[in-house]
Amino acid sequence: MTITSIAIVGAGVAGLHLGLYLQQHEVPVRIYTDRTPEEVARGRLLNTVAHHHHTLERERALGVHHWDAEEYGYVCHQHCVTGAPVTLRFRGDFEHPSSIIDYRLYLPQLMKDYLDRGGDMTFGVIDREAIERMGREHDLVVVASGRDARSMFAPVPDKSPHDRPQRRLCAGIYHGVRYSEPKGVGVHISLGHGELLELPITSREGFATALLFEAIPGGEVEVLADARYDEDHDRFDRLVLHTLEQHFPMCFERVDVASFSVQGPGDLLQGALTPVVREDYVQLQSGRFAVAAGDAHCVVDPVNGQGANSASYSAWVIGQAIAEDLALDELFCRRVARERQAFVTGVSDWTNMILNPEPHVVGLIMAMAENKPLCDAYTQNFNHPDRQWAAVATPERTAAFIARHTTNRASIVA
Amino acid sequence: MTITSIAIVGAGVAGLHLGLYLQQHEVPVRIYTDRTPEEVARGRLLNTVAHHHHTLERERALGVHHWDAEEYGYVCHQHCVTGAPVTLRFRGDFEHPSSIIDYRLYLPQLMKDYLDRGGDMTFGVIDREAIERMGREHDLVVVASGRDARSMFAPVPDKSPHDRPQRRLCAGIYHGVRYSEPKGVGVHISLGHGELLELPITSREGFATALLFEAIPGGEVEVLADARYDEDHDRFDRLVLHTLEQHFPMCFERVDVASFSVQGPGDLLQGALTPVVREDYVQLQSGRFAVAAGDAHCVVDPVNGQGANSASYSAWVIGQAIAEDLALDELFCRRVARERQAFVTGVSDWTNMILNPEPHVVGLIMAMAENKPLCDAYTQNFNHPDRQWAAVATPERTAAFIARHTTNRASIVA
């Protein structure tokens, strides 16, 4: 690439990983964001997303892996399914640890890294007009923001099956939940009511637990999506405890009821989102292109904890293409689209399937309960969402996935 | 993959590389072809295609690299452009040798390897009905044949810009041409008349030279496309000599006129082909899929010597996908299509551009004449047709490619 200049809209994980990558490769870059590091740090809980091994490897390559996954990470998924005649409990192990850092620590730290290394960052409101202006001042605009700007990229109908949220969400950071042994993410399913992700998070107060309730509309967990913490802290905490006891016993048994509470008023996030995959790029008035990344490209429900990983992967594909390719034209945009397609749509298709699982996927979860190598393979595929989608897309594929990871006991006996 | 069975139609380089790959990975496979090894060996010249390093690496992985490229290969492209005010001569070097083996040696040897390793091969005429039958007896059909069967895959209009051949071809194996030093392929261009590829080939008589004349219809080289060797051997040889002398002096100066002759009656191939890219796959009546490979998928003019390499690459993508994936369904077919797209369409788009070069590509060739690092990069990209297309697709890209491989002499002087 001859001397060129990249505009990045958004200072989330996609924008920062890309900014740091370009900085490392000496490509001129400017990040535009509407919030300063201080505002992010003192703001409301942003999410509770995990970074899986492949994302941590990119952090290491960028020199921004500040929380050693050996110390801060976790190594498995602890599964519990209730609401069936028999409660199922089982575990799947990762080959390498994953990690969850509160983004109010993570993002300001990476913004600081970027700025300390001489990075340009402009703070202010970003609307469509601002992006058109960037298209005149830069050679490429990467829109890596989930805010209004993303509407410039049209949804892709056949990858966006839903017109409304599939879950109502209540995420919060809590004291009083003992970690599982080995330390893992608790993946709790209460059939008909929703899921709970129990997440060993590093927050500004140190090790804590994030509870992300994924409430099916009309189910008994939905009460948490409407509960008002501000009105009555104790009542809110009791409601959460009651829900844990009723629906998520594997978590509840590690709760110290006396000390259980939301960490603080800003440590709660309630809402809902509609999954969508948008077009990869558009041409701006200047003739330059804007490429979508992160939430501007693909929004997934957090039930699989894949959003940040997909965003970081996408940023890396864009960064490598910028560093290697000869122009930032439509051929460049199509290259980016092609190279990230399997991964990003793998995340989206798999997550949409888990939200409304077909019978063969329910069967897969049942089979995982009885087959640890199978559950390990499914767990490890959190690093390979393209392979995970390939394993759940059809009943035939899931049967083959189960067969591949099943020891042939009959033949051993014989 | 659970136990499954693959049908391969065609025993060219795509069919054999795939058959050997599947054999190596213990996937049941049967090759269907209309010609025995003996018929291929004693038949007419099939082509004069080079195998570049990436293809030779796959041969090594398959244990079928029988002609050591260090001994039989070549290391550069020797360029000569005539018809402009000044004749240009320049060279581009490969990082690793390429190699040209007469397919009447190569294909029977690989068929023998496949059969010696226990491979199934069925000989007979293959029509559409036979392929439908394979679709009932096998789990996947890979059509890797340039014959009638390919018509089952529809052309892709925007990748198939031509409705007729762009060159008329006359390929033959000759005695009496001394190799260049270092040993290379001669890439001769006679502006307005066509190209000559002068190819150091290993034939059944040992080291020889293949001359592939690419005649522009209406130009002075076209006479070779119509000349009848069978009618008068000497007259044919004299016509070739005259054409070399008039249009391709860098070759002619290494000719020993006294001994110059076509190697034998079967060592000549005249014809023409229309470039086309076809759909990646179709569903058969049985519900199984047929995937196109090699000439059934993409036919390119031989001017860049890429056909066999693209076919082998495609075979490898298909083989890896079969060995790894969980089903041979449409998702599998789309995976294959995605993974080979940049390479195969790179070959096709680049070759179509070279047949009718836009001014910026003419300018690139002129620049290569004065800039060996640039010419080396272009030469090395015969192993990376996706990158080559990225370097010639637009004037801006070619300018950036030239700039990337040009030492800044001004700054050295300053």
Side-chain angles (χ1 to χ4, degrees), chain A residues 1-2 322-329 331-332 338 341-342 387 389-391 393-394 396-397 400-401 403-404, chain B residues 1-2 159 323-329 331-332 334 338 341-342 387 389-391 393-394 396-397 400-401 403-404:
Chain A
M1 187 68 54
T2 47
I322 291 171
E324 289 171 13
D325 210 342
L326 293 161
L328 301 171
D329 53 8
L331 194 58
F332 165 88
R338 184 179 59 244
Q341 185 195 353
R387 295 185 207 162
W389 172 240
T394 67
E396 294 73 22
R397 286 181 164 270
F401 181 67
R404 181 177 290 185
Chain B
M1 188 67 55
T2 47
K159 289 291 167 191
E324 290 172 13
D325 210 342
L326 293 161
L328 300 171
D329 53 8
L331 195 59
F332 165 88
R334 288 203 299 263
R338 184 179 61 243
Q341 185 194 353
R387 295 186 206 161
W389 172 241
T394 67
E396 294 71 24
R397 287 181 163 271
F401 182 66
R404 181 177 291 184

Side-chain angles (χ1 to χ4, degrees), chain A residues 11-34:
Chain A
V13 63
L16 285 167
H17 281 196
L18 177 57
L20 289 157
Y21 182 95
L22 295 177
Q23 203 172 42
Q24 198 177 51
H25 290 76
E26 299 180 356
V27 177
V29 55
R30 180 181 293 272
I31 295 178
Y32 296 81
T33 179
D34 56 0

Side-chain angles (χ1 to χ4, degrees), chain B residues 140-274:
Chain B
L140 179 76
V141 182
V142 179
V143 180
S145 162
R147 316 236 174 159
D148 295 347
R150 73 184 186 192
S151 65
M152 62 195 286
F153 304 98
V156 179
D158 73 327
K159 289 291 167 191
S160 308
H162 300 301
D163 60 1
R164 69 194 69 183
Q166 301 299 297
R167 295 290 188 276
R168 297 186 65 199
L169 308 173
C170 175
I173 300 180
Y174 295 83
H175 291 306
V177 184
R178 185 165 40 83
Y179 286 157
S180 67
E181 178 56 44
K183 188 175 172 185
V185 159
V187 181
H188 309 260
I189 300 176
S190 176
L191 293 173
H193 300 286
E195 300 82 12
L196 164 65
L197 297 183
E198 174 198 355
L199 304 145
I201 195 170
T202 300
S203 77
R204 63 173 177 273
E205 296 185 21
F207 289 128
T209 296
L211 300 179
L212 168 59
F213 293 95
E214 297 252 341
I216 295 175
E220 292 175 9
V221 178
E222 192 179 15
V223 61
L224 295 180
D226 295 312
R228 296 291 304 272
Y229 178 77
D230 296 344
E231 289 178 358
D232 187 336
H233 294 196
D234 288 345
R235 185 172 172 280
F236 185 92
D237 290 344
R238 284 198 305 275
L239 199 57
V240 173
L241 277 174
H242 179 73
T243 305
L244 291 179
E245 188 173 14
Q246 292 296 308
H247 290 280
F248 306 111
M250 188 180 70
C251 180
F252 184 71
E253 69 192 22
R254 277 184 279 96
V255 167
D256 173 41
V257 172
S259 65
F260 182 82
S261 69
V262 173
Q263 184 174 267
D267 296 325
L268 208 63
L269 184 67
Q270 290 162 304
L273 51 82
T274 302

Side-chain angles (χ1 to χ4, degrees), chain A residues 167 195 303-304 349-357 361 365 378 392:
Chain A
R167 294 290 187 276
E195 299 84 11
V303 69
N304 278 332
D349 290 340
W350 164 38
T351 301
N352 286 332
M353 173 67 90
I354 289 297
L355 291 172
N356 296 289
V361 176
I365 294 167
Y378 185 85
V392 301

Side-chain angles (χ1 to χ4, degrees), chain A residues 359-369 374 378 391-392 398 401-402:
Chain A
H360 68 275
V361 176
V362 177
L364 171 61
I365 294 167
M366 300 296 136
M368 279 160 51
L374 177 67
Y378 185 85
V392 301
T398 296
F401 181 67
I402 292 171

Side-chain angles (χ1 to χ4, degrees), chain A residues 306-349:
Chain A
Q306 289 288 319
N309 301 280
S310 179
S312 167
Y313 180 93
S314 186
W316 211 254
V317 167
I318 295 169
Q320 288 183 323
I322 291 171
E324 289 171 13
D325 210 342
L326 293 161
L328 301 171
D329 53 8
E330 189 162 10
L331 194 58
F332 165 88
C333 294
R334 288 204 298 263
R335 169 190 170 160
V336 167
R338 184 179 59 244
E339 291 183 353
R340 70 186 180 184
Q341 185 195 353
F343 196 100
V344 174
T345 64
V347 163
S348 176
D349 290 340

